Amino acid sequence: MTECKLILGNKTYSSWSLRGWLLARQADLTFEEVVIPLRQPDTRAQILSYSPAGKVPTLIMDGATVWDSLAIAETLAERFPDKGFWPADTRARQRARSVTAEMHSGFQALRGALPMDLSKHYPGHAVSAEVQADIERVCDIWRDCREEFGGGGDFLFGKFGIADAFYAPVVTRFATYDVRLDAVCEAYCAAVTGHPWMKQWAAEAAAETWVIDFD
């Protein structure tokens, strides 16, 4: 197994870190975790000591530093082609890359209004029209991928892969903010939440003592 170091933010709050961690687990890496509390006076300085971008996650592997979750995803997919990061089918792989890139660069309204927070639950939480539009787009993606490519398992393209890692934080947001979903999307969220890696992440988040109070 390749040994490396993964720089993360708090597991309760850091959506980007969750993506990187899931990818490292899929690669079957043996890695040291460095968890840096977010929104502290020295947070940026601590992260900069590992990453020139000052962002998490950052993967240090074989003496090379890779930052940004999408760069980490592509690096691991290239390094470990047998781990099924992208679908084997060409059309499915094209769609997986498209929906992953869309999540990576989009959904700003959802991100801003519904921050990831595994420690909270807000029953009946109201959202703006802009946030609802983002929610509907996410659900459209999930339904389309499941219908066209999901026949081989419970995830977007059947088996768990990069696309699922990128949408996993949204699954947690929908649970935290009590977003109402149809049967297909509920089943997908249940599959993600029930994945052993997600259960481990949630348990370790619950054991954290850092608290961020979102306004």
Side-chain angles (χ1 to χ4, degrees), residues 12-13 113-127 168-181 189 193 214:
T12 301
Y13 308 109
L114 308 181
M116 179 168 148
D117 186 346
L118 300 187
S119 69
K120 299 289 196 310
H121 181 235
Y122 301 100
H125 184 76
V127 299
V170 178
V171 170
T172 75
R173 286 175 159 106
F174 284 0
T176 295
Y177 299 98
D178 200 30
V179 174
R180 300 296 90 191
L181 301 170
C189 287
T193 302
F214 294 106

Side-chain angles (χ1 to χ4, degrees), residues 70 74 86 91-105 107 137 141 145 157 163 167:
L70 189 55
E74 290 288 13
W86 294 120
R91 286 188 65 250
R93 189 164 61 253
Q94 290 169 346
R95 182 73 60 83
R97 282 198 163 103
S98 294
V99 300
T100 296
E102 184 174 353
M103 171 50 65
H104 186 259
S105 63
F107 302 103
R137 175 57 187 152
I141 289 170
C145 291
F157 296 88
Y167 282 88

Side-chain angles (χ1 to χ4, degrees), residues 60-78:
I60 302 171
M61 182 172 62
D62 297 335
T65 300
V66 183
W67 59 93
D68 189 280
S69 57
L70 189 55
I72 291 170
E74 290 288 13
T75 297
L76 293 177
E78 181 181 71

Side-chain angles (χ1 to χ4, degrees), residues 129-201:
E130 291 79 9
V131 174
Q132 186 60 39
D134 276 357
I135 291 170
E136 291 172 5
R137 175 57 187 152
V138 168
C139 290
D140 284 345
I141 289 170
W142 290 354
R143 284 190 294 266
D144 290 347
C145 291
R146 289 290 302 144
E147 179 178 358
E148 190 169 357
F149 302 108
D154 296 327
F155 300 100
L156 294 179
F157 296 88
K159 297 179 180 179
F160 190 92
I162 289 173
D164 302 293
F166 270 68
Y167 282 88
V170 178
V171 170
T172 75
R173 286 175 159 106
F174 284 0
T176 295
Y177 299 98
D178 200 30
V179 174
R180 300 296 90 191
L181 301 170
D182 62 24
V184 171
C185 294
E186 283 279 10
Y188 174 65
C189 287
V192 173
T193 302
H195 194 291
W197 299 337
M198 287 292 288
K199 288 184 174 181
Q200 180 183 345
W201 178 277

